[in-house]
Amino acid sequence: MPSALQVLNASGTRHAAGAFARDVIRGLSRNPKSLPSKYFYDAEGSRLFQRITELDEYYLTRCEAEILETHAAEIVAAVLPGPLRLVELGAGDGQKTEILVRRLLDTGLRFEYVPIDICRQSVFDLAASFHCRFDGSLRVRGIVAEYFHGLASLGRASRRPSFVLYLGSSVGNFSHAEARQFFRRLRESLRPGDFVLVGFDLKKDLEILRRAYNDAEGVTRLFNLNLLERINRELSGEFDRGRFAHYGPYNLREACMESWLVSLENQEVPIHALGRSFSFRAWEGIHVECSHKYDLSQIESFASAAGFRVQKHFFDRRRWFADSLWQNV
Ligand code: AVI
């Protein structure tokens, strides 16, 4: 079967560069300073995140793989007789998705796999690797676009349902208000009967969380510092990463791991493409990420507020992570 790569919004790159510049100015002018975590994922950031998923301390990916290995048959049985399309929001390395794809193919179902991501290279790599892994038995249509733009492009012509994957607890990087809005928009882009499987990292021992976001090898530190390097690369910034430390505490009030880059001294950093400099005081932080942790009542209230019915939660054996299967009713 053929594979295809579809790039929506050809002027997107120029637009994206403008948005990055605008968000950097806005974020570094705030008090406290902040930068949106969505900018982590350029090619280098995606490579570093892939390394994070392989770390001993970063349990999330392994827990979710265990859930899919253990419960794939039940998940697939719940979404049959569909789906026409397996849509994935965010393109990782596809290892977890492969478990579900194999199980769906084992039922004799022929369907299309549609990864949607803004990062062209990630979609391209994933589509190519799935085309090889499944030796042509799966039609792969990669879409390079913002999620809702990509979903809208799929159209509503078919009567058979879609099954949308939003794995990895990526939702945890949204505030609760953003997550609620995200799920509402997601439901609006689907048809009645469509399914979604959403990954949520659960609340747990704070020491386990601390280690997951402060790994001994320092990969998470490099991942965060890459945000400053990206400003250097794309906006001709002069950040010296040796002058910033990574700080990753747990915020109990918000139930999230926070990531900060902390200036180790008073410094002035020019960003030439923006035509200005930003001052940092010693020990001043730039907030770069929140990774929220959830309990089941929060997950269920996200689903019902958006108009989904929870079919079932699936857990790993330690109940550290949940994949929650919802249907658009
Ligand atoms: C992508 N996201 C779900 C990861 C997380 O756990 O919040 C990003 C990450 N940040 C530090 N380590 C991993």
Side-chain angles (χ1 to χ4, degrees), residues 116-292:
I116 304 177
D117 200 287
I118 198 71
C119 176
R120 185 190 180 110
Q121 193 60 46
S122 305
V123 178
F124 182 81
D125 291 348
L126 185 62
S129 107
F130 265 52
H131 190 61
C132 292
R133 283 188 227 194
F134 293 99
D135 201 19
S137 59
L138 180 73
R139 188 183 143 78
V140 182
R141 169 152 58 129
I143 300 186
V144 181
E146 182 271 324
Y147 295 156
F148 293 109
H149 193 185
L151 281 169
S153 78
L154 291 176
R156 292 165 170 259
S158 165
R159 292 242 185 86
R160 292 178 67 196
S162 292
F163 181 19
V164 178
L165 306 178
Y166 188 48
L167 303 178
S169 202
S170 297
V171 64
N173 300 134
F174 290 143
S175 69
H176 290 318
E178 288 166 343
R180 272 192 294 276
Q181 195 196 1
F182 176 85
F183 289 129
R184 207 173 315 119
R185 285 188 72 189
L186 179 58
R187 198 188 70 84
E188 285 163 8
S189 354
L190 301 178
R191 289 165 311 203
D194 286 350
F195 289 93
V196 300
L197 185 71
V198 189
F200 291 94
D201 194 19
L202 300 177
K203 291 180 182 170
K204 62 181 62 61
D205 185 324
L206 302 190
E207 186 50 23
I208 295 166
L209 291 175
R210 191 195 62 75
R211 281 203 297 267
Y213 292 85
N214 296 274
D215 61 287
E217 216 183 309
V219 185
T220 309
R221 176 178 160 271
L222 294 178
F223 174 69
N224 289 338
L225 285 169
N226 179 56
L227 205 41
L228 303 186
E229 304 279 10
R230 182 171 180 180
I231 296 175
N232 290 350
R233 282 191 296 271
E234 295 182 23
L235 300 174
S236 306
E238 286 194 31
F239 280 104
D240 174 350
R241 66 185 200 171
R243 294 181 177 176
F244 287 86
H246 158 68
Y247 177 55
Y250 186 70
N251 178 331
L252 264 168
R253 199 184 299 273
E254 299 289 327
C256 71
M257 287 303 300
E258 295 183 345
S259 282
W260 295 81
L261 290 167
V262 183
S263 175
L264 295 174
E265 55 194 76
N266 289 326
Q267 51 181 315
E268 190 80 13
V269 180
I271 303 181
H272 298 290
L274 305 180
R276 53 184 289 188
S277 293
F278 293 88
S279 313
F280 296 83
R281 283 171 283 109
W283 310 115
E284 180 179 1
I286 313 172
H287 178 257
V288 291
E289 189 180 53
C290 273
S291 300
H292 288 88

Side-chain angles (χ1 to χ4, degrees), residues 69-91:
E69 295 277 8
T70 313
H71 301 288
E74 199 182 338
I75 295 170
V76 165
V79 303
L80 287 175
L84 172 71
R85 306 188 174 99
L86 182 67
V87 179
E88 178 149 29
L89 304 181

